[in-house]
Amino acid sequence: MAFDYQTPRYIHVIEQIKTKINEGELEAGERLPSEMELAKQLNVSRNTLREALRILEEENIIIRRHGIGTFINQKPAFSGGIEELFSITDFIKREGKEPGTELLFHGATEALSEDKLELQLEEDDQVYLVKRVRTADSEPLVYCIDKIPLSLVGEDYQLDEQSMLQSLQEKKDITISYAKAEIKTIGYHEEISSILHSEENQPLLILKQIHYDLNDNPILYSLNFFRSDQVSFSVFRKRLF
C-alpha cells in the first residue's frame, strides 16, 4: 500500500482496517490481535494504533470489552439519514420488518424544566407524556419518550396509531413540518438498556428531536434511545460554492 505521508498515519491505519472489514478479512464479531501484535502487523507505533482504534470505536466500527479485548462490531441492521424526517414506523418498514409497539405509559404529567424550554411552555403548563418500546419483528429496537403540550391534545388523547406523526395529523389536525435533531451517546442505562436487551458495555444512541408545525410552533419533544450496534445514522453534506 502506497502511503501519502502528508496524511496522519493513524488515518492510514483506519483505512487499512476498514478495507480488511470490507474485503472480509476481518468479520463482524472477530477479535482483533493485541495492540502490540496489531501495531507490528501494520508497521505503526502503538500510539498511532491507539488513536486509530479510538476513532474506529467512536464510529462504532469496533467495540472494546474491558478485560476481554477489541472486536469488530456487528453491522447495524437499521440505518438512515437524519436529514429526512421519518417516523419510527417507516424506519422499521423500510428494512422489511414488521413494526410493533409496547405502550409503557401515557397521560398528563408535570413538565420538566427541559420540556418547558424546548416546547416553550409557561410555568404551570403540563405535557402529555408517552413512553413506549418500538419493536421490529417483535424484537425491541427503540425506547421512545414523547412529550406534547397538554393544551394541544387534551387529557383524553389516545395514541392508537403506531406513528405519532400520523396520530397528530389525523386526530388533532396537526401537521409536523420539520424537526431539529441532535444525536448523543450514553453508556449503560439500567432501565432502558435492559429493555433493549443491551449488554453493559454497549453504548446507546439518543436521537433528540424537537418537531415543529407549519407555523414554526414546537409541537413534539422526543427522545429515542437505540442500541448503537443495531442502528446507525448518517448526514448528507453538500459542498456550497
Side-chain angles (χ1 to χ4, degrees), residues 193-235:
S193 296
S194 176
I195 289 174
L196 295 178
H197 302 167
S198 180
E199 297 180 2
E200 289 192 11
N201 55 14
Q202 181 65 58
L204 298 174
L205 293 178
I206 307 175
L207 178 60
K208 171 184 173 181
Q209 296 187 99
I210 312 298
H211 300 75
Y212 297 82
D213 66 9
L214 297 171
N215 295 315
D216 300 323
N217 298 311
I219 301 297
L220 170 64
Y221 174 33
S222 65
L223 294 168
N224 295 321
F225 296 80
F226 303 83
R227 274 174 43 178
S228 58
D229 64 331
Q230 289 185 328
V231 174
S232 67
F233 294 106
S234 60
V235 179

Side-chain angles (χ1 to χ4, degrees), residues 43-182:
N43 194 28
V44 295
S45 69
R46 292 182 69 177
N47 286 338
T48 296
L49 176 64
R50 285 170 182 161
E51 179 63 14
L53 294 178
R54 182 187 67 80
I55 294 172
L56 288 169
E57 184 177 25
E58 288 181 354
E59 294 179 0
N60 289 318
I61 292 173
I62 64 170
I63 182 171
R64 295 181 179 182
R65 295 173 179 165
H66 183 68
I68 301 176
T70 301
F71 297 80
I72 303 299
N73 216 345
Q74 299 286 339
K75 184 178 180 181
F78 297 84
S79 62
I82 62 170
E83 70 276 357
E84 177 188 359
L85 181 58
F86 53 81
S87 70
I88 297 297
T89 299
D90 291 337
F91 184 63
I92 295 171
K93 285 182 176 179
R94 287 180 183 181
E95 298 298 329
K97 297 184 182 294
E98 182 67 27
T101 302
E102 179 185 349
L103 186 61
L104 303 178
F105 176 86
H106 68 98
T109 186
E110 297 298 320
L112 303 177
S113 57
E114 187 174 5
D115 305 335
K116 296 173 185 177
L117 175 65
E118 301 294 3
L119 294 172
Q120 299 177 15
L121 301 176
E122 299 297 331
E123 184 62 30
D124 296 328
D125 287 346
Q126 291 186 301
V127 295
Y128 188 87
L129 170 65
V130 180
K131 290 185 177 182
R132 9 175 223 164
V133 177
R134 304 304 312 277
T135 60
D137 287 351
S138 300
E139 290 295 322
L141 178 69
V142 194
Y143 185 100
C144 303
I145 299 174
D146 294 307
K147 300 179 181 183
I148 312 165
L150 187 63
S151 59
L152 292 179
V153 295
E155 292 189 24
D156 60 345
Y157 176 70
Q158 294 289 330
L159 179 65
D160 299 326
E161 297 82 2
Q162 292 183 346
S163 169
M164 177 69 76
L165 304 187
Q166 181 182 347
S167 177
L168 290 173
Q169 175 75 60
E170 295 183 355
K171 289 191 171 185
K172 298 297 177 180
D173 196 28
I174 297 174
T175 300
I176 299 299
S177 176
Y178 64 95
K180 295 180 181 179
E182 179 182 355

